[in-house]
Amino acid sequence: MQKIIKNLFIIGIIVCVLSIFLIIGTYLAIKPNLPEIKYVDESELQMPLKVYTKDGYLIGEFGEIKRRATSFDDIPIDIKNAFLSAEDDNFFNHQGISYTGLIRSFVRCVGPSGCQGGGGTITMQVVRGYLLTPEQTIVRKIKEIFLALQLEGKVEKEEIFELYVNRIFLGNRSYGIEAAANTYFNKNLSELSISESATIAAIAQLPSRINPVKNLRRTLQRRDWILSRMFLLDHISEKEYLEAISDDIEIAKNINLYDVDAKHLAEHVRQEVISRYGLRAYKEGWSVYTTIDSQSQTSSVASVLKELFLYDKRHGWRKSDNYGNLFSREQKKLLEKSDISFLFDSNYFRDIDLDEDNLSNKLSKIFDSYAFYKTHIKAIVINVTNEKITFINEDFDLGSIAWKEEYDWAREQISINELGPKSSSFNQILSFGDFIYLKTNDDSYAFDQIPNIESSLISINPNSGEVIAYVGGKNFNESNFDRVRQSFPQSGSSFKPFIYSSSLASGYNLSTLINDAPIVFEDENLESEWRPQNYTGEFYGPISIRDALVKSVNIVSIKLLRELGIENSHSYLNNFGFTKSRLPNDLSLALGSGNFSAAEMVRAYSVIANGGFIPDIHFIDTIKDRDGNNIFSHNEYKDQFNNQNISAFPWLDTIEMNTKRPYYILKPLNKNERVIDERISFLMADTLKSFMKSGVAGRKSEFLRRNDIGGKTGTTNDSVSTWFSGFHKDLVTTVWVGTDDFTSLGEDEYGSTIALPIWLNYMDFKLQSLEISKEDIPENISFVRVNKNTGEIDSEAPENTYFELFLDENIN
């Protein structure tokens, strides 16, 4: 027996010695890569980069927010106790690490889920937040341990706690407890109740999923768990506990909502500012004022979404993603009875996001994987009958809606061009476990579906080049891909006005007759013979250039391009900002086979709208520091240093000078003179105003009751992309609608069915502030009588004539 004890004693000594050597060895191996612990308490007070519309509405915020650091003595006792109860109740007793927590953490690290949180004392969270990267690895966990021990040896507990609560991210752009109190409750820390203090502590563990804005139910349950801990630890009395747990969570209004939705542009601002000034821009409290007009932006977003949802309903119901297999047979039976109590395991609210097998956690991850829409809630169907569905939403609330006749749009989508029979009940389209979106209408919900198509819109002042409205896609939360700048669809018929402008510059008149008849083209750049047709399938015979553009006649466009010559046309098209390398080298160019961004198209149409000038489109007006001093001003740069000065004096082209250059959407062309004849732009604008008075465009735009607007639709082959570019002399707007993978929108969809209505909705708002323009005819243009049969000037013919605009040099 003594021998066994002796052996065990020796083994114990050996294990202890080996453990000491292992710890020392690990420390020595990691020490060179450990950050200096002194930097923990040298964290500077940071203020975020804020992005605004020109009229001062917030559209973006980037970087950390610390409204002010709060000293330990100024932190209310309830906030202290709430965080200690939730995160580390033994904080004032341990030496920086929790051994039981570490064991749990290391078990998770070697498991299939990896190092997903856990095991972090407040001290460890401080060193993690201040000094380490967010990676989830065993090495980082070991670094946390050593740094926590170092910190505990150099800094008082009170200071560590102070660092923790002033640094921690608490959701909705709020860093630190003072910021959170102001954000969620519009209060100072000293004004918070016990319930509100516990609510802020509830957010700390997983602010992206648990905060009272995004998920009130889960926040409430986490808060209640913390209150129960505070009671068990004697931080509050039973009376205080019962009062606090009975309180509703009443947050301040309009939280987590930017004043205006312009996230794609705000992200572009962020990238450009950081590329010039570096990461300091995140910290120094700068304010960027874009050129965006808040009301125009709001109207443009609403216009886009309205038409995309209308389009979507024309094309039926797409089968939902189904998650029914997550539930056991017993759980399904409970759900049929609307019993969801099994989802609320109290342990879940303590260790959120740590138990991968937890059903509530799986459901939350599913909800989080779908894009947030302000106008909709996410739900999973748990019971379906003919007349009603019951669902559980992302807050784990039960709800139900009844079938309505208006839901008969939800016909099964067999293909984009084929729908099944009209639906008359939920059973025909939904199943248990289906994920759905429901549109919120005050206190009720409506059955809906999120469109799977995309859109972009850019609206500019063609005279100043300012961006007025900018929509890079239907939802930045779903995709931050910017379709204004980064997508290059074929332009379709919306490109034709530039071909026709080229013809006018080459001696053609608006009255010139071109025979619209069947023809076969043999083009060496095409693989085979080409027999183009008009989209109507009809041929008009001899037709004037004006009428051909108004009717968007394909054959005429192609014949004009062939007669002008592709090389000559390329040279002229360059005046609209289109580079030769980007232009097709065959006759398909006449039909818009070139690929251009919405930004490039709006710039080109600006040449037509503003008398032949091409603007460089800019999107930032001023950048100010935290004291309101100008860091950048577009107007100051324009007044003091134009690009010709810089070109003339290259030694002025310094890094400092480059930071003060304007912020352009496209590479600037720096052309201050007209790029095309003012008369050509006038004739083309007049023709496109005729387009807005005839055909489908005329019928749809009649309600605007304006004669000073023009534009052109565009639809590519198989309706892959649809366009509309329209203008007033002070506003040019381009709208694109399509899919990111360039699949067909449907055989009955055109620029006039989707893109044009978006523009009309937007212009219905904009024209209220745009004065009716009465432009004078430029010099050297005459209004003459033309023979309809010949297209030539004929002042003698008493009948069969009309009046048309002519360049003076074309009058014989």
Side-chain angles (χ1 to χ4, degrees):
M1 184 67 177
Q2 288 182 341
K3 188 176 181 180
I4 293 175
I5 293 174
K6 182 180 179 181
N7 289 337
L8 289 175
F9 179 74
I10 294 172
I11 291 171
I13 291 175
I14 292 172
V15 169
C16 289
V17 172
L18 289 175
S19 298
I20 291 171
F21 277 111
L22 178 63
I23 292 171
I24 294 173
T26 303
Y27 177 72
L28 292 175
I30 289 179
K31 188 177 186 300
N33 297 318
L34 285 178
E36 293 288 337
I37 198 70
K38 65 180 182 179
Y39 293 129
V40 167
D41 56 3
E42 293 181 1
S43 177
E44 61 184 319
L45 185 66
Q46 298 178 3
M47 295 178 67
L49 174 71
K50 293 187 177 184
V51 185
Y52 296 92
T53 62
K54 191 173 185 179
D55 48 343
Y57 290 88
L58 187 67
I59 61 173
E61 196 163 20
F62 306 97
E64 294 189 0
I65 300 174
K66 291 190 201 172
R67 289 195 172 93
R68 69 175 178 86
T70 307
S71 66
F72 183 83
D73 291 339
D74 291 333
I75 300 172
I77 189 63
D78 290 330
I79 276 281
K80 292 176 183 175
N81 289 333
F83 273 93
L84 291 171
S85 300
E87 300 296 326
D88 188 357
D89 60 82
N90 199 37
F91 171 70
F92 283 99
N93 298 317
H94 61 59
Q95 296 302 309
I97 56 176
S98 166
Y99 296 102
T100 56
L102 284 176
I103 292 171
R104 290 200 308 270
S105 182
F106 279 114
V107 167
R108 291 190 184 96
C109 283
V110 299
S113 302
C115 299
Q116 300 246 354
T121 63
I122 284 177
T123 309
M124 293 173 71
Q125 291 184 55
V126 167
V127 296
R128 181 193 312 160
Y130 279 79
L131 300 175
L132 297 175
T133 63
E135 61 181 341
Q136 300 278 357
T137 63
I138 291 179
V139 172
R140 196 212 67 182
K141 183 62 67 175
I142 294 172
K143 288 180 179 180
E144 276 184 34
I145 295 170
F146 287 125
L147 288 171
L149 292 171
Q150 282 189 42
L151 184 61
E152 288 273 350
K154 293 185 177 183
V155 180
E156 296 294 327
K157 284 283 190 179
E158 289 78 6
E159 188 177 352
I160 295 174
F161 187 84
E162 181 183 310
L163 290 168
Y164 172 67
V165 296
N166 283 323
R167 169 86 179 197
I168 189 169
F169 176 59
L170 294 166
N172 296 292
R173 311 191 301 273
S174 300
Y175 284 78
I177 53 177
E178 181 70 38
N182 187 264
T183 297
Y184 292 109
F185 302 109
N186 196 25
K187 293 180 178 181
N188 296 321
L189 278 177
S190 60
E191 300 172 315
L192 294 178
S193 67
I194 294 174
S195 171
E196 291 165 343
S197 299
T199 299
I200 290 176
I203 302 169
Q205 194 174 33
L206 203 60
S208 64
R209 298 184 185 177
I210 296 188
N211 67 69
V213 174
K214 189 172 183 180
N215 198 319
L216 185 60
R217 167 63 70 89
R218 296 178 72 188
T219 307
L220 184 66
Q221 290 166 328
R222 173 77 174 165
R223 181 208 68 174
D224 290 351
W225 179 82
I226 292 173
L227 288 172
S228 69
R229 292 276 300 155
M230 293 175 72
F231 173 55
L232 290 172
L233 294 169
D234 292 326
H235 293 314
I236 56 176
S237 67
E238 182 176 4
K239 179 182 178 182
E240 288 173 322
Y241 166 71
L242 293 174
E243 288 177 353
I245 206 167
S246 65
D247 287 344
D248 293 329
I249 297 178
E250 297 181 359
I251 59 175
K253 295 180 179 179
N254 299 321
I255 298 176
N256 196 35
L257 300 176
Y258 290 115
D259 298 322
V260 175
D261 182 4
K263 294 186 181 69
H264 284 93
L265 186 68
E267 171 60 18
H268 188 38
V269 168
R270 181 194 70 80
Q271 293 175 8
E272 290 298 306
V273 171
I274 295 302
S275 72
R276 294 196 191 189
Y277 297 100
L279 297 179
R280 58 181 286 219
Y282 282 146
K283 304 175 181 181
E284 298 184 6
W286 292 1
S287 296
V288 181
Y289 291 86
T290 66
T291 58
I292 290 290
D293 172 69
S294 62
Q295 291 185 323
S296 300
Q297 180 68 20
T298 299
S299 175
S300 66
V301 172
S303 300
V304 166
L305 289 178
K306 175 185 176 183
E307 292 303 324
L308 294 192
F309 275 93
L310 288 175
Y311 161 88
D312 195 64
K313 289 182 172 48
R314 293 198 293 270
H315 292 273
W317 172 256
R318 302 183 302 278
K319 187 171 178 59
S320 300
D321 295 332
N322 187 271
Y323 299 96
N325 60 354
L326 289 179
F327 303 94
S328 67
R329 183 178 303 175
E330 293 74 17
Q331 290 168 342
K332 290 180 180 179
K333 289 180 179 179
L334 290 172
L335 291 175
E336 289 176 1
K337 301 174 183 177
S338 297
D339 182 354
I340 58 174
S341 59
F342 62 89
L343 293 175
F344 305 116
D345 176 1
S346 61
N347 289 328
Y348 165 67
F349 299 103
R350 179 176 184 177
D351 285 330
I352 286 176
D353 205 36
L354 302 181
D355 185 355
E356 291 297 313
D357 295 325
N358 186 290
L359 178 59
S360 298
N361 191 38
K362 289 180 179 178
L363 291 176
S364 295
K365 286 186 175 181
I366 288 170
F367 285 129
D368 289 340
S369 69
Y370 290 88
F372 168 78
Y373 281 81
K374 178 182 175 182
T375 53
H376 290 69
I377 66 164
K378 309 168 193 176
I380 289 180
V381 177
I382 61 172
N383 200 2
V384 188
T385 66
N386 284 335
E387 300 299 323
K388 187 177 78 169
I389 58 170
T390 304
F391 58 84
I392 180 172
N393 68 20
E394 55 200 305
D395 290 333
F396 288 12
D397 287 327
L398 279 171
S400 64
I401 58 171
W403 177 265
K404 297 179 181 178
E405 287 186 9
E406 64 192 61
Y407 299 153
D408 61 6
W409 61 266
R411 301 164 64 183
E412 179 188 1
Q413 185 185 100
I414 299 171
S415 71
I416 195 63
N417 295 317
E418 183 181 0
L419 300 179
K422 189 173 289 189
S423 301
S424 58
S425 70
F426 282 123
N427 260 331
Q428 294 175 277
I429 53 175
L430 292 176
S431 303
F432 172 86
D434 278 352
F435 175 89
I436 58 174
Y437 279 95
L438 298 170
K439 184 174 176 58
T440 55
N441 298 315
D442 297 325
D443 295 328
S444 63
Y445 303 114
F447 181 59
D448 207 357
Q449 177 176 252
I450 302 298
N452 63 350
I453 63 170
E454 279 294 347
S455 180
S456 63
L457 179 153
I458 179 170
S459 184
I460 72 170
N461 182 324
N463 308 303
S464 66
E466 287 186 332
V467 176
I468 306 301
Y470 191 103
V471 181
K474 69 175 183 286
N475 189 327
F476 185 84
N477 300 316
E478 188 171 336
S479 169
N480 59 17
F481 180 63
D482 186 348
R483 295 157 190 84
V484 169
R485 298 180 300 109
Q486 298 173 322
S487 181
F488 299 89
Q490 286 190 335
S491 54
S493 295
S494 62
F495 193 80
K496 287 177 181 176
F498 312 119
I499 300 293
Y500 281 75
S501 296
S502 180
S503 71
L504 295 178
S506 299
Y508 289 80
N509 301 306
L510 290 177
S511 65
T512 300
L513 297 180
I514 305 291
N515 189 25
D516 177 38
I519 191 170
V520 176
F521 291 100
E522 293 184 5
D523 189 328
E524 62 181 12
N525 292 307
L526 299 175
E527 294 181 358
S528 60
E529 292 181 341
W530 186 29
R531 292 179 171 81
Q533 291 186 329
N534 298 318
Y535 80 95
T536 61
E538 301 177 14
F539 295 96
Y540 296 95
I543 185 172
S544 71
I545 283 181
R546 178 189 287 270
D547 286 345
L549 181 54
V550 168
K551 290 182 170 61
S552 199
V553 179
N554 288 338
I555 304 300
V556 173
S557 301
I558 297 166
K559 286 185 174 180
L560 281 175
L561 179 59
R562 184 180 64 171
E563 293 175 15
L564 294 170
I566 290 178
E567 196 66 34
N568 289 335
S569 295
H570 279 183
S571 297
Y572 191 79
L573 292 171
N574 181 252
N575 294 320
F576 294 95
F578 303 117
T579 57
K580 182 176 180 180
S581 61
R582 299 270 307 285
L583 293 167
N585 286 312
D586 56 60
L587 294 176
S588 69
L589 171 65
L591 304 186
S593 62
N595 299 77
F596 303 104
S597 68
E600 291 172 306
M601 293 298 287
V602 80
R603 179 176 64 180
Y605 269 86
S606 294
V607 178
I608 296 172
N610 73 353
F613 294 96
I614 189 165
D616 287 322
I617 306 170
H618 68 278
F619 60 99
I620 292 181
D621 185 65
T622 56
I623 303 175
K624 297 180 181 293
D625 65 20
R626 67 175 68 185
D627 298 317
N629 302 310
N630 278 353
I631 295 171
F632 164 84
S633 169
H634 181 85
N635 289 334
E636 285 180 9
Y637 180 92
K638 188 176 179 181
D639 293 340
Q640 297 177 22
F641 303 99
N642 61 46
N643 287 280
Q644 290 178 339
N645 295 139
I646 299 300
S647 300
F649 304 100
W651 56 85
L652 293 176
D653 195 9
T654 62
I655 293 176
E656 181 180 358
M657 217 36 237
N658 280 323
T659 63
K660 295 187 179 297
R661 290 182 184 275
Y663 290 80
Y664 292 119
I665 292 293
L666 301 169
K667 184 179 179 180
L669 301 174
N670 302 317
K671 296 183 178 180
N672 297 320
E673 304 298 325
R674 283 191 170 90
V675 293
I676 68 170
D677 190 322
E678 176 186 14
R679 298 172 302 164
I680 302 296
S681 68
F682 180 86
L683 294 178
M684 190 50 51
D686 189 72
T687 303
L688 294 179
K689 289 173 184 177
S690 298
F691 177 86
M692 292 304 298
K693 299 173 187 174
S694 65
V696 175
R699 292 192 297 273
K700 291 193 173 185
S701 65
E702 186 177 8
F703 75 97
L704 295 177
R705 302 188 182 282
R706 294 287 286 259
N707 295 319
D708 58 340
I709 54 175
K712 182 70 180 73
T713 53
T715 307
T716 62
N717 288 342
D718 298 321
S719 298
V720 169
S721 287
T722 63
W723 295 83
F724 185 82
S725 290
F727 59 87
H728 172 278
K729 72 178 185 66
D730 295 323
L731 188 77
V732 182
T733 306
T734 289
V735 178
W736 168 84
V737 180
T739 61
D740 287 338
D741 58 0
F742 298 122
T743 53
S744 175
L745 295 173
E747 59 188 11
D748 294 324
E749 299 293 351
Y750 307 96
S752 59
T753 63
I754 320 176
L756 172 60
I758 291 174
W759 183 82
L760 292 173
N761 292 335
Y762 173 64
M763 289 301 288
D764 189 28
F765 165 75
K766 287 299 297 179
L767 288 174
Q768 298 172 28
S769 58
L770 292 173
E771 294 183 0
I772 297 175
S773 57
K774 296 181 180 178
E775 299 174 84
D776 296 328
I777 298 178
E779 293 182 2
N780 299 320
I781 288 184
S782 298
F783 206 47
V784 298
R785 188 187 295 272
V786 175
N787 189 308
K788 288 184 179 179
N789 294 328
T790 64
E792 303 291 337
I793 296 173
D794 190 346
S795 58
E796 303 296 329
E799 298 178 353
N800 203 32
T801 60
Y802 69 98
F803 285 92
E804 184 56 276
L805 296 166
F806 260 63
L807 301 180
D808 282 358
E809 60 264 33
N810 291 342
I811 299 175
N812 297 321

